[in-house]
Amino acid sequence: MSAMQRLELRQGQSLTMTPQLVQSIKLLQLSHAELAAYVAAELERNPLLQEGEIRADAPGLSLADFLRAKQKAQAAGSRIVPGPPPLRGQAASGASGPAHGEIRPELEETLARTASLAEHLEAQLDLATSDPHLRTIGEHLIHSLDEAGYLRDDPADIAAHLDVPCVDVEAALQLVQTFEPAGVGARNLAECLGIQLKEHGRLDPAMQALLQHLHLAARQDFAALRKVCGVDGEDLAAMLAEIRRLEPKPGLAFTPARVDVLVPDVLVRPAPDGSLAVELNPETLPRILLDRTYYAEVAKVLNKEEDKSFLSECVQTASWLTRSLEQRAKTILKVAAEIARQQEDFFRTGMAGLRPLTLKSVAEAIGMHESTISRVAANKAIGTERGTYPMKFFFGAATGEGEHAAKAVRHRIGQMIGTEKPDDVLSDEAIAHKLKQEGIQVARRTVAKYREALRIPPSADRRRRHSHKA
């Protein structure tokens, strides 16, 4: 026999997520405002759902009301489906046509929003590499970006906390910097602009020199800029015009419009016994119940099979939603309690007490996956005696030279410069020395990086400004 065909049986394991589990995960990521809109849509659509407590003397819906609700759902071109409906316009896996897992137009419109920056980048990461090690580092980098799309943490600090070689972090960062929007993942403005210019094929030596001397452009010292760039005035004007057309904060396109007041999902306050009390904010918790009494009454008088099917679908959807909301609340509270435990010094003393904290350390402490912690932290806020903070605020790497949170060190640097005297302007070296006296080991280059992140000019510029004022 010149050729043979072989059949091989291989046994393996794979994780299959049910549509219900997928939607529960997405529900966890919603902000309280998005959740309120979603629940309001469900209350409108499902006659078995009731808001708040169901009183014994509360007037129930009639059979006619129930049938009108069914007709309204059909007229809208949608139907209550067994299990949860897709969120954010995303159909359940395995669904086809208008059956199980159908996208419902009115719900899609209720939750219509652009994907977050992290979601947008993670989708590109999935396509860019299949290396699990590189993807793990890439996910950490993506969730470390600020809302403008910048990486403020030092790659060396990230490598130390992930216990991986720094060269691997640099490789993952270079990969992230190839994603859209152009300029994302940059560590400073010059790098952000350079990434965009490189994509446009305009990062020539003159442009590189200009990016290295942006401080001269800020001071409008065009004579010095012409000299370092090796161009005449006309060319310099064209280069500056091109720089102005670039996007200095690429991540902001994915940032939802800010509300005037940041409403906390969780409240952390000192308890009478000296401990920290962690509780969910009742004002942001949706209160819905499945009205089983009404279900039983309607079920008795329905005759048509399509009415019975609609009722069955209503009760399944209502049961799933009430269970999912309860689980969502428990998960948020569990994560917030662990954050409060690990950041106890912050809640008692303020910024000086902020400690390095990673998604991994919280996940390991409470037995959850890092991705779950990331979803909980997204779009949530914690209310404290010192104000309300985004939950992501409490996560961050340490400085490379010590165990102090980078955010706390940046805050302290800002305090030092804010209180410096006109005749005693602090250099980066002097700030590093003062921090060392306070027990914070930070190199001068790290001080410079943090100062730039705070958009504070160098000591020479600050001294010049003070002299002008005098």
Side-chain angles (χ1 to χ4, degrees):
M1 187 179 293
S2 60
M4 292 182 64
Q5 291 183 333
R6 297 178 59 190
L7 294 177
E8 293 186 9
L9 293 177
R10 294 184 180 181
Q11 186 175 11
Q13 290 183 332
S14 62
L15 177 63
T16 302
M17 298 180 70
T18 65
Q20 289 83 357
L21 179 57
V22 171
Q23 304 310 324
S24 294
I25 290 173
K26 291 182 178 298
L27 202 67
L28 183 63
Q29 194 166 337
L30 296 180
S31 69
H32 67 83
E34 291 174 320
L35 183 64
Y38 175 69
V39 169
E42 290 301 302
L43 286 167
E44 176 72 17
R45 183 178 298 107
N46 193 334
L48 297 185
L49 283 173
Q50 297 293 323
E51 188 171 11
E53 296 183 3
I54 301 176
R55 306 189 313 274
D57 60 346
L61 295 173
S62 65
L63 176 59
D65 293 328
F66 174 80
L67 294 177
R68 275 195 295 270
K70 172 175 172 287
Q71 292 171 354
K72 182 179 180 181
Q74 291 175 333
S78 61
R79 59 195 293 263
I80 301 292
V81 296
L87 298 178
R88 300 182 184 178
Q90 194 168 1
S93 60
S96 62
H100 177 73
E102 177 187 19
I103 296 177
R104 294 178 292 184
E106 64 271 32
L107 177 60
E108 186 178 22
E109 292 168 4
T110 300
L111 294 180
R113 69 170 185 86
T114 57
S116 69
L117 177 62
E119 291 168 343
H120 182 67
L121 296 176
E122 283 180 333
Q124 295 177 74
L125 181 64
D126 289 340
L127 298 174
T129 180
S130 59
D131 184 341
H133 179 65
L134 194 61
R135 288 177 64 169
T136 297
I137 301 173
E139 288 175 357
H140 183 91
L141 290 171
I142 287 171
H143 286 279
S144 298
L145 301 179
D146 65 14
E147 64 178 14
Y150 284 82
L151 181 67
R152 302 301 186 183
D153 297 330
D154 194 306
D157 299 341
I158 294 173
H161 279 276
L162 293 180
D163 194 22
V164 298
C166 190
V167 64
D168 291 356
V169 175
E170 292 286 355
L173 180 58
Q174 288 181 15
L175 180 63
V176 170
Q177 289 180 348
T178 65
F179 297 165
E180 290 291 333
V184 74
R187 286 159 285 191
N188 52 58
L189 177 61
E191 187 173 32
C192 176
L193 300 177
I195 292 171
Q196 296 176 60
L197 289 168
K198 184 177 181 180
E199 184 176 275
H200 298 156
R202 290 289 294 115
L203 191 59
D204 54 36
M207 273 294 192
Q208 290 177 346
L210 174 57
L211 294 179
Q212 292 171 3
H213 297 84
L214 286 176
H215 61 284
L216 296 178
R219 295 207 303 258
Q220 298 186 351
D221 191 347
F222 301 128
L225 271 178
R226 289 195 298 270
K227 183 176 180 180
V228 298
C229 296
V231 297
D232 58 25
E234 185 178 349
D235 286 340
L236 179 61
M239 292 165 62
L240 291 173
E242 188 167 4
I243 289 288
R244 295 188 189 99
R245 288 193 293 269
L246 301 176
E247 177 52 67
K249 298 178 180 179
L252 292 187
F254 295 83
T255 302
R258 289 183 176 273
V259 294
D260 293 335
V261 179
L262 186 63
V263 180
D265 299 86
V266 181
L267 303 173
V268 179
R269 294 177 285 206
D273 62 359
S275 63
L276 290 176
V278 183
E279 58 187 9
L280 294 169
N281 183 2
E283 295 182 3
T284 62
L285 288 177
R287 299 178 180 86
I288 62 168
L289 296 170
L290 169 61
D291 192 341
R292 296 188 179 277
T293 301
Y294 176 59
Y295 166 73
E297 291 175 355
V298 173
K300 293 177 184 177
V301 295
L302 291 181
N303 297 317
K304 295 182 179 180
E305 286 301 319
E306 62 174 308
D307 293 340
K308 292 180 181 180
S309 175
F310 180 73
L311 180 65
S312 176
E313 293 167 354
C314 283
V315 74
Q316 288 184 54
T317 303
S319 297
W320 169 82
L321 184 56
T322 53
R323 290 195 307 270
S324 295
L325 289 176
E326 181 181 0
Q327 183 59 44
R328 177 183 184 274
K330 289 180 179 178
T331 303
I332 292 174
L333 186 61
K334 191 172 184 179
V335 172
E338 182 59 25
I339 291 174
R341 187 187 72 81
Q342 296 202 37
Q343 294 287 16
E344 182 175 356
D345 288 346
F346 170 85
F347 291 103
R348 297 192 184 281
T349 64
M351 279 297 299
L354 193 66
R355 294 289 176 262
L357 184 63
T358 63
L359 298 173
K360 182 178 180 181
S361 63
V362 173
E364 290 177 346
I366 60 179
M368 291 184 179
H369 195 273
E370 285 184 55
S371 62
T372 301
I373 309 302
S374 177
R375 290 185 177 93
V376 171
N379 309 312
K380 312 296 187 307
I382 295 180
T384 76
E385 288 187 320
R386 306 175 191 283
T388 301
Y389 297 84
M391 194 173 284
K392 283 189 173 182
F393 167 83
F394 297 96
F395 293 91
T399 59
E401 299 82 3
E403 292 301 318
H404 292 80
K407 291 175 183 175
V409 176
R410 283 199 296 268
H411 178 75
R412 183 69 186 111
I413 291 172
Q415 283 184 324
M416 286 183 175
I417 295 176
T419 58
E420 67 184 3
K421 298 178 181 179
D423 58 348
D424 187 21
V425 175
L426 297 172
S427 65
D428 293 340
E429 187 68 40
I431 293 173
H433 180 70
K434 284 180 174 290
L435 289 172
K436 184 177 181 181
Q437 292 177 331
E438 296 178 7
I440 304 174
Q441 298 290 335
V442 180
R444 184 204 59 77
R445 65 179 182 278
T446 304
V447 171
K449 183 187 71 172
Y450 289 170
R451 174 181 51 72
E452 291 171 359
L454 293 169
R455 299 181 181 178
I456 298 175
S459 57
D461 289 355
R462 301 201 307 276
R463 192 175 295 110
R464 190 179 301 107
R465 289 181 182 180
H466 286 309
S467 64
H468 288 331
K469 291 179 180 179

